[in-house]
């Protein structure tokens, strides 16, 4: 059984891997091209400060209109152009996914690397904190930060009438200003999803620390920062890149989900879906009566998630032949 | 088993304290006035007189240490939490704790049926795929797991609602239909467990139970499919890993059939990683539960955060919600650890320290 398996596997796997890699790269490249070419694919009215939505007429009719020359994929709600939002939503989602995944990966890697490098009690405490953070649902973090923003609303600062009728004016501190101005979804996702990165970086660094070239670097007299930056991070980075690539898709999906259920966030894709949600389940429940309301954007979302997950898998397989393709 | 469980139990309060510290720390960023609700007496009449209101607020700040350093405030707040004083929510116009407890059964019911389905089905599918690897069933499993994990919950739910609710009318969102909802809220109907599927039978109203099941199908499916896919994939991978180990080869040499090796040996050892990863992704499961609750309009715990719009300040509700979610996550993690301790031979006999 085992012999037969080993004899048949390699050839077949080579073939499977190749088309998967081409598919993964082409899906991701497609999204990147669309994001870059957005101004040409769907010209914005205000080129300098493009909005994610466009109304093609002043009609306030809530009826979705089928595809026409003005709106290539039809309209929804108060004649919002779906094609326009689909193109610009791609740019928005890509920027959002890349930036949050990058920030999260940086934060997690930094924490994990430092913790493992310090070792001992500090390491123990930081890893305990990491485990604790893992028990915190993302949705709570998002609720927390959207709430915090409303708790920090401007009126809380400008006028605080006290018992004696004196108006106290307080200035927001730097930390408060950051919270006020940041996107609560980005804040919540970055601050509460770095834990897997920290864990991976931690185990990687502990393994690398045992190797001889780190000893050699220490003997030569390299400083701690240099050892971490030049030797440990480059060697520990592959699994982190894999995770971050998958996270690009995951973050965008999460953003769209929270926008759709109305918990904050401003995903253009999900906003259009939300506008058209009454029409998805069209009259009589016919799924294809108003297909343009949901199908194109849904496909974009699903393929976005697909593509980046796929790419993560492929990076994993190519960087780490032992992964064997079974470690998804 | 004892050692393993004791270690896991000891980790629970540490996690709880660390997370609540973070929660309170974040809310500390807001001005003092916003935390007054945490200690507000539950009587809306006070708010009619602004001068009196202001005086009461100042008193609360003094009395409940709201202008003191972080650690003092935190300890005071935590001890109040443990006493059952979770604060007053102006949006819900009630104390936070009873509001949370009222909404718990709906969430737990959804979660319970979801776990009841996805854990066994995920394990079975994973092991079966490993047994038939690189053959038809394996490809089928991998394809459906891939689809199940890649389609976002809210898109799946839209499609399900369109086909099964609007078009076919087989299943429906919410918890019950209108008539049954009236019956459930009448005085004759006794709430034994809060689970409508069970209470219906206990009240000799089997039709209510069936109706509750009918309304649970779509949320449970939406929620379960992604969980099932993840668990199945991990089980499959770790079973394949186990089947390549020496003991499996030894069993083959003794003449055991591949089926026996998979189900009697490899499966048991593969359970560890599978259940462990489930325990680690409990927080994600809870997030998904709330998303599904919102989409299917189930009045569970997530109602606490959807009631206030984005710009209505309500520190007590959001803190209470956060704390309650952590308790839920820790409880679920503990149940999964317990399951692991009961099922895994190595953990049960205490030969390994950490599962």
């Amino acid at each position: 059984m085992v012999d037969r398996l080993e004899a048949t596997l390699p050839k077949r796997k080579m073939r499977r891997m190749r088309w998967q890699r081409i598919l993964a790269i082409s899906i991701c490249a497609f999204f990147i091209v669309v994001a870059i070419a957005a101004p040409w694919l769907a010209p914005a009215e205000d080129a300098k400060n493009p909005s994610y939505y466009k109304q093609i007429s002043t009609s306030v009719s809530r009826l979705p209109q089928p595809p026409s020359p003005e709106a290539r994929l039809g309209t929804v709600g108060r004649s919002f152009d779906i094609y326009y939002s689909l193109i610009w939503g791609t740019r928005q989602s890509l920027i959002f996914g890349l930036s949050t995944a990058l920030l999260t990966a940086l934060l997690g890697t930094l924490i994990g690397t430092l913790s493992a490098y310090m070792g001992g009690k500090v390491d123990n405490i930081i890893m305990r904190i990491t485990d604790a953070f893992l028990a915190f649902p993302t949705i709570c973090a998002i609720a927390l930060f959207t709430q915090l923003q409303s708790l920090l609303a401007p009126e809380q600062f400008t006028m605080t009438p006290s018992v004696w009728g004196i108006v106290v004016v307080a200035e927001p501190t730097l930390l408060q200003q950051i919270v006020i101005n940041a996107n609560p979804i980005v804040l919540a996702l970055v601050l509460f999803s770095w834990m897997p990165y920290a864990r991976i970086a931690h185990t990687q660094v502990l393994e690398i620390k045992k190797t001889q070239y780190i000893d050699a670097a220490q003997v030569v007299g390299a400083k701690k920062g240099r050892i971490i930056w030049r030797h440990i991070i480059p060697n520990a980075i592959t699994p982190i890149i894999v995770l971050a690539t998958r996270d690009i898709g995951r973050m965008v999906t999460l953003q769209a989900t929270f926008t759709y259920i109305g918990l904050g966030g401003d995903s253009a894709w999900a906003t259009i879906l939300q506008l058209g949600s009454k029409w998805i389940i069209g009259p009589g429940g016919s799924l294809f009566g108003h297909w343009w309301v949901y199908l194109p954007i849904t496909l974009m979302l699903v393929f976005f998630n697909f593509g980046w997950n796929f790419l993560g898998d492929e990076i994993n397989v190519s960087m780490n032949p032992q992964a064997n393709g079974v470690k998804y | 088993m004892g050692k393993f469980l004791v270690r896991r139990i000891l980790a629970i309060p540490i996690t709880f304290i660390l997370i609540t510290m973070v929660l309170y720390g974040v809310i500390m960023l807001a001005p003092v006035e916003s935390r007054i609700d945490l200690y507000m007496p539950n009587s809306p009449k006070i708010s009619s007189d602004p001068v009196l209101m202001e005086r009461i607020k100042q008193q609360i700040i003094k009395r409940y240490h709201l202008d003191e350093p972080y650690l003092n405030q935190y300890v005071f707040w935590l001890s109040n939490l443990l006493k059952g004083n979770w604060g007053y929510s102006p949006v819900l116009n009630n104390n936070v704790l009873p509001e949370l407890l009222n909404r718990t059964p709906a969430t737990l019911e959804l979660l319970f049926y979801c776990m009841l389905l996805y854990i066994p089905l995920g394990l079975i599918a994973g092991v079966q795929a490993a047994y038939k690897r690189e053959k038809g069933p394996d490809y089928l499993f991998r394809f459906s797991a891939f689809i199940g994990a890649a389609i976002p919950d809210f898109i799946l739910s839209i499609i399900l609602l369109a086909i099964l609710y609007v078009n076919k009318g087989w299943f429906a969102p919410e918890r019950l239909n209108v008539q049954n909802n009236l019956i459930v809220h009448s005085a004759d109907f006794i709430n034994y467990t809060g689970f409508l599927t069970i209470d219906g039978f206990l009240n000799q109203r089997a039709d209510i139970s069936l109706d509750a099941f009918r309304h649970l199908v779509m949320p449970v499916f939406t929620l379960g499919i992604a969980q099932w896919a993840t668990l199945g994939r991990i089980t499959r991978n770790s079973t394949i890993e186990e089947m390549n180990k020496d003991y499996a080869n030894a069993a083959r040499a003794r003449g055991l059939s591949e089926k026996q090796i998979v189900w009697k040996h490899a499966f048991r050892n593969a359970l560890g990683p599978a259940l462990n990863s489930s325990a680690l992704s409990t927080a994600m499961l809870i997030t998904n539960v709330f998303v599904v609750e919102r989409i299917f309009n189930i009045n569970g715990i997530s109602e606490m955060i959807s009631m206030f719009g984005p710009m209505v300040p309500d520190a007590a509700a959001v803190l209470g919600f956060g704390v309650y979610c952590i308790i839920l996550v820790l409880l679920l993690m503990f149940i999964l650890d317990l399951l692991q301790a009961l099922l895994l031979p190595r953990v049960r006999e205490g030969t390994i320290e950490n599962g």
Side-chain angles (χ1 to χ4, degrees):
Chain A
M1 176 70 203
V2 177
D3 285 341
R4 216 176 67 223
L5 208 80
E6 277 169 4
T8 54
L9 263 180
K11 225 189 277 168
R12 207 196 269 169
K13 192 173 295 155
M14 285 296 285
R15 215 170 54 226
R16 205 184 71 222
M17 255 158 50
R18 225 177 34 233
W19 73 255
Q20 283 189 332
R21 192 162 304 171
I22 293 167
L23 187 65
I25 293 173
S26 47
I27 292 176
C28 294
F30 167 75
F31 283 110
I32 293 171
V33 167
V34 170
I36 293 172
W40 294 280
L41 287 170
E45 280 154 11
D46 179 7
K48 281 209 181 116
N49 192 13
S51 123
Y52 293 119
Y53 313 98
K54 186 167 95 178
Q55 281 166 296
I56 58 159
S57 72
T58 49
S59 149
V60 288
S61 155
R62 284 166 190 271
L63 230 58
Q65 296 298 323
S68 62
E70 298 99 70
R72 265 174 266 182
L73 286 172
T75 65
V76 70
R78 296 188 172 87
S79 57
F80 279 104
D81 185 353
I82 292 179
Y83 173 76
Y84 180 86
S85 289
L86 184 130
I87 298 292
W88 284 91
T90 310
R91 179 178 264 206
Q92 183 200 27
S93 297
L94 196 69
I95 292 173
F96 179 87
L98 283 173
S99 52
T100 38
L102 193 73
L103 280 176
T104 316
L106 272 179
L107 183 66
T109 314
L110 206 67
I111 292 174
T113 315
L114 279 178
S115 152
Y117 194 79
M118 303 224 224
K121 270 209 181 111
V122 182
D123 186 22
N124 235 330
I125 292 170
I126 294 180
M127 281 297 121
R128 269 263 162 273
I129 294 174
T130 312
D131 283 352
F133 267 76
L134 272 173
F136 194 67
T138 322
I139 199 164
C140 297
I142 287 171
L144 190 67
F145 280 103
T146 30
Q147 261 301 298
L148 189 61
Q149 245 177 10
S150 53
L151 291 176
L152 283 172
E155 63 264 31
Q156 298 273 6
F157 289 105
T158 44
M159 297 237 267
T160 316
S162 70
V163 199
W164 300 281
I166 303 165
V167 175
V168 184
V169 180
E171 274 292 307
T173 61
L174 183 68
L175 210 56
Q176 286 174 336
Q177 267 174 345
I178 292 174
V179 175
I180 292 170
N181 294 321
N183 181 342
I185 301 260
V186 177
L187 216 56
L189 284 179
V190 171
L191 290 180
F192 290 89
S193 41
W194 50 268
M195 298 77 71
Y197 295 95
R199 284 183 134 218
I200 289 177
H202 182 254
T203 38
Q204 288 277 317
V205 171
L206 281 189
E207 253 166 48
I208 292 167
K209 242 172 94 177
K210 282 188 218 142
T211 54
Q212 290 182 332
Y213 64 84
I214 300 297
D215 290 342
Q218 269 168 352
V219 170
V220 173
K223 285 196 186 108
K224 271 189 180 181
R226 189 182 157 84
I227 294 181
I228 292 181
W229 187 245
R230 287 298 297 269
H231 298 288
I232 290 184
I233 287 184
N235 280 297
I237 205 140
T238 312
I240 289 161
I241 291 177
V242 172
L243 196 61
T245 314
R246 288 203 195 113
D247 256 2
I248 295 173
R250 199 179 70 93
M251 294 286 190
V252 169
T253 311
L254 275 177
Q255 186 207 20
T257 307
F258 291 126
T259 310
Y260 185 81
I261 63 173
L263 268 185
D266 51 355
S267 164
W269 284 346
T271 309
I272 292 290
L273 279 180
Q274 172 67 41
L275 269 176
S277 62
K278 289 279 179 299
W279 298 96
I280 297 166
I281 308 162
S286 71
L287 254 188
F288 296 102
H290 295 97
W291 60 270
W292 65 89
V293 167
Y294 66 96
L295 203 59
I297 288 184
T298 306
L299 285 179
M300 289 297 258
L301 251 171
V302 171
F303 273 104
F304 196 90
N305 200 8
F306 259 6
W308 292 102
N309 261 307
F310 237 177
L311 193 68
D313 291 354
E314 285 312 308
I315 294 173
N316 190 21
V317 174
S318 65
M319 298 281 211
N320 179 9
Q322 280 179 334
N324 230 349
V326 289
K327 295 265 179 202
Y328 46 88
Chain B
M1 175 168 161
K3 221 176 193 178
F4 169 79
L5 279 183
V6 165
R7 189 178 273 206
R8 291 292 162 106
I9 291 170
L10 282 181
I12 290 177
I14 297 175
T15 310
F16 180 76
I17 287 172
L18 282 172
I19 284 290
T20 44
M21 279 178 98
V22 172
L23 268 176
Y24 198 79
V26 171
I27 288 294
M28 272 280 282
L29 282 175
V32 182
E33 283 75 19
S34 62
R35 292 195 296 281
I36 286 173
D37 285 338
L38 290 172
Y39 306 102
M40 200 59 135
N42 178 14
S43 112
K45 273 178 203 154
I46 299 171
S47 56
S48 54
D49 181 3
V51 179
L52 183 66
M53 192 68 192
E54 199 50 49
R55 200 163 292 159
I56 288 170
K57 279 184 176 176
Q58 293 303 327
Q59 268 178 7
I60 286 177
I61 291 175
K62 268 269 159 321
R63 194 163 155 210
Y64 295 102
H65 314 274
L66 283 176
D67 47 0
E68 284 180 27
Y70 168 66
L71 216 55
N72 291 6
Q73 277 193 46
Y74 168 71
V75 171
F76 192 80
W77 171 68
L78 191 67
S79 57
N80 253 296
L81 268 188
L82 297 179
K83 276 181 223 151
N85 178 11
W86 288 43
Y88 165 79
S89 156
V91 174
L92 300 164
N93 199 5
N94 196 357
N95 283 338
V96 173
L97 189 58
E99 290 288 324
L100 278 166
L101 290 176
N102 273 343
R103 291 177 168 81
T104 310
T107 301
L108 280 189
E109 191 174 29
L110 177 59
L111 200 57
F112 174 73
Y113 285 107
C114 175
M115 290 181 86
L116 201 65
L117 285 175
Y118 94 80
I119 292 181
L121 288 181
L123 291 175
I124 291 171
V127 176
Q128 195 60 26
Y131 172 46
K132 300 261 184 197
R133 72 190 133 163
E134 306 292 327
K135 283 188 206 150
D138 185 25
Y139 286 128
L140 182 69
F141 165 74
R142 274 156 71 185
F143 180 72
S144 43
F146 186 68
I147 299 282
I151 296 184
D153 276 355
F154 76 101
I155 287 176
L156 183 63
S157 67
I158 291 169
I159 298 166
L160 287 182
L161 277 172
I163 301 175
L164 299 178
Y165 172 51
V166 185
N167 200 341
K168 300 283 181 207
W170 292 342
F171 309 114
E174 304 191 357
R175 286 185 84 190
L176 284 175
N177 64 27
V178 182
Q179 299 98 312
N180 285 340
N181 219 354
L182 285 176
I183 297 173
V184 166
H185 286 108
S186 68
D188 306 336
F189 194 87
I190 307 157
N191 272 314
Y192 295 102
T193 57
F195 281 28
L196 292 176
T197 49
I198 296 171
D199 280 354
F201 286 120
L202 292 178
N203 282 291
Q204 266 94 44
R205 288 298 302 265
D207 56 320
I208 290 183
S209 286
L210 287 179
D211 192 46
F213 275 123
R214 196 172 81 94
H215 286 76
L216 268 174
V217 170
M218 284 193 298
V220 166
F221 181 77
T222 311
L223 189 56
I225 195 87
Q227 302 293 324
W228 168 82
T230 324
L231 182 65
R233 284 202 286 198
I234 292 164
T235 315
R236 174 184 174 274
N237 294 347
S238 50
T239 309
I240 288 179
E241 228 165 76
E242 291 294 327
M243 282 174 75
N244 288 331
K245 282 193 177 159
D246 286 344
Y247 74 86
N249 279 333
R252 279 189 197 100
R254 287 211 314 273
L256 263 69
S257 72
E258 201 70 7
K259 196 171 185 174
Q260 277 174 314
I261 297 170
V262 169
W263 285 102
K264 291 228 167 117
H265 300 280
F267 172 51
R268 287 221 146 181
N269 288 316
L271 262 178
L275 287 177
N276 223 349
S277 81
S278 294
L280 279 182
S281 62
T282 322
M284 203 59 226
L285 175 64
I286 293 290
T287 300
N288 288 342
V289 170
F290 291 154
V291 168
V292 166
E293 268 181 11
R294 284 299 90 228
I295 293 168
F296 288 103
N297 213 357
I298 295 168
N299 46 358
I301 300 170
S302 64
E303 231 182 11
M304 296 288 291
I305 50 168
S306 64
M307 293 279 259
F308 48 69
M311 285 326 267
V312 185
D314 190 346
V318 81
L319 269 179
F321 174 74
V323 174
Y324 204 75
C325 288
I326 295 152
I327 294 175
L328 210 61
V329 170
L330 290 175
L331 212 65
L332 276 178
M333 274 179 159
F334 179 67
I335 290 171
L336 284 168
D337 283 339
L338 204 66
L339 207 64
Q340 207 179 336
L342 289 175
L343 289 174
L344 260 172
R346 280 179 302 172
V347 179
R348 197 174 48 208
E349 264 130 53
T351 42
I352 51 165
E353 294 252 301
N354 203 347

